[in-house]
Amino acid sequence: MAQPGYVTVPILSVLAAIGYVYYTTVFLAIPAWLGLSTAAGVANVVSFTALAAACVATYAVAVSRDPGRVPAAFVPDVEDADSPIHEIKRKGGDLRYCQKCSCYKPPRAHHCRVCKRCVLRMDHHCIWINNCVGHENYKIFLIFVLYAVIASLYSMVLIIGGAVHSLPKDEQTGNDSSRSSIIICGVLLCPLALALMVLLGWHVYLILHNKTTIEHHEGVRAMWLAEKAGNLYHHPYDLGYYENLVSVLGSNIFCWLCPTSRNMGNGVRFRTSYDIPPSKPPK
């Protein structure tokens, strides 16, 4: 396993894929369809270049940003009235303590076997960024996936247009070679765009329910156990759709898609549904 912080083959593969799609779209598809001497051609080149640059920039941040470390002095305060929930071990009911890191784990934190440390609000370890997706880089990871989906769909439109308009009108091998390259890129881009859209849809679902991937799988088991005992299971961090979005993307709606702004909180304490006062019945 590659150590976090190092450039790996999957990272190089992602950068190579971005470069290949960019080259085919800008230097083959757009010239074949719109031409580089037209206003429409130049506008599409500029727009797609800006989108590709945003993808590379957000990807670099997702790779390099620390997902969130547990503070060395963290100790859960069971008498803290502001924290009505204290996560405990499945077996024994003790407070969650990491034997490998020799420290208590805050709520929603988990130990990563690859990074070899506990990560705040850990979602999963992603081999494509050689890093964990956690509290500090979850938002930038989501924005990268969003930009990648938009870029993939944008590129698909340009590639389809380029393939259609590059039909050889005469026996010119140059045109035929260019069209073949465009078609090959389009065929490779289809499953990539589909996978990215599924990934984006999955994380949008998680955000709307204020869950991580780990919490979703744990919640399925908890729901089954609760139903078996005749009880109802409710995810304690689910605050409602809007509040869930705010807890991840920030309080300013205009900065939700801004890669420079970070998510809310310090990753150690999170609002729960118990923090929301019950609505009073109408008089």
Side-chain angles (χ1 to χ4, degrees):
M1 294 183 179
Q3 292 296 321
Y6 288 87
V7 176
T8 60
V9 172
I11 291 177
L12 294 176
S13 300
V14 171
L15 295 176
I18 294 174
Y20 175 66
V21 172
Y22 177 80
Y23 170 81
T24 305
T25 303
V26 171
F27 294 99
L28 297 179
I30 294 178
W33 182 15
L34 303 170
L36 296 180
S37 59
T38 64
V42 172
N44 279 279
V45 167
V46 172
S47 300
F48 191 77
T49 299
L51 192 55
C55 286
V56 173
T58 51
Y59 180 70
V61 176
V63 170
S64 60
R65 179 173 292 177
D66 192 291
R69 293 179 177 271
V70 177
F74 173 77
V75 177
D77 186 359
V78 295
E79 297 181 356
D80 186 0
D82 294 332
S83 297
I85 288 183
H86 297 280
E87 295 182 357
I88 58 177
K89 295 180 180 180
R90 293 180 182 175
K91 297 181 180 180
D94 298 327
L95 291 173
R96 297 165 69 236
Y97 185 84
C98 182
Q99 299 292 342
K100 297 179 180 179
C101 296
S102 299
C103 66
Y104 285 100
K105 289 190 285 188
R108 316 183 80 177
H110 294 273
H111 185 88
C112 176
R113 291 177 293 179
V114 180
C115 296
K116 297 180 179 179
R117 64 182 178 89
C118 289
V119 176
L120 296 177
R121 195 186 180 276
M122 179 179 171
D123 187 89
H124 69 288
H125 184 89
C126 180
I127 63 170
W128 300 106
I129 64 174
N130 191 32
N131 197 5
C132 270
V133 178
H135 177 73
E136 293 294 335
N137 65 347
Y138 183 83
K139 179 181 176 180
I140 199 70
F141 173 80
L142 178 72
I143 293 176
F144 161 69
V145 175
L146 174 63
Y147 286 167
V149 168
I150 296 174
S152 298
L153 297 178
Y154 189 8
S155 178
M156 283 294 298
V157 172
L158 295 174
I159 284 176
I160 292 173
V164 171
H165 286 79
S166 63
L167 289 171
K169 299 178 181 179
D170 45 31
E171 300 298 327
Q172 294 182 1
T173 57
N175 289 341
D176 188 58
S177 175
S178 175
R179 181 169 177 266
S180 298
S181 299
I182 294 173
I183 292 176
I184 292 173
C185 183
V187 171
L188 296 176
L189 192 57
C190 284
L192 176 62
L194 180 61
L196 288 171
M197 286 189 290
V198 170
L199 180 63
L200 178 63
W202 169 247
H203 281 284
V204 169
Y205 165 80
L206 291 177
I207 290 177
L208 290 176
H209 294 83
N210 205 350
K211 294 181 180 180
T212 64
T213 299
I214 296 175
E215 289 170 349
H216 171 78
H217 293 297
E218 290 180 341
V220 171
R221 181 177 183 274
M223 185 180 299
W224 177 78
L225 292 174
E227 291 179 351
K228 188 177 180 180
N231 300 320
L232 293 176
Y233 172 77
H234 174 73
H235 183 57
Y237 301 105
D238 189 353
L239 309 175
Y241 289 158
Y242 177 75
E243 291 297 331
N244 292 341
L245 288 169
V246 168
S247 66
V248 174
L249 302 178
S251 57
N252 189 344
I253 190 173
F254 298 105
C255 295
W256 279 4
L257 302 182
C258 179
T260 57
S261 60
R262 299 196 178 189
N263 50 346
M264 301 287 288
N266 56 10
V268 174
R269 175 181 295 178
F270 298 90
R271 289 184 63 200
T272 68
S273 56
Y274 299 97
D275 299 323
I276 301 177
S279 56
K280 297 181 179 180
K283 296 181 180 179

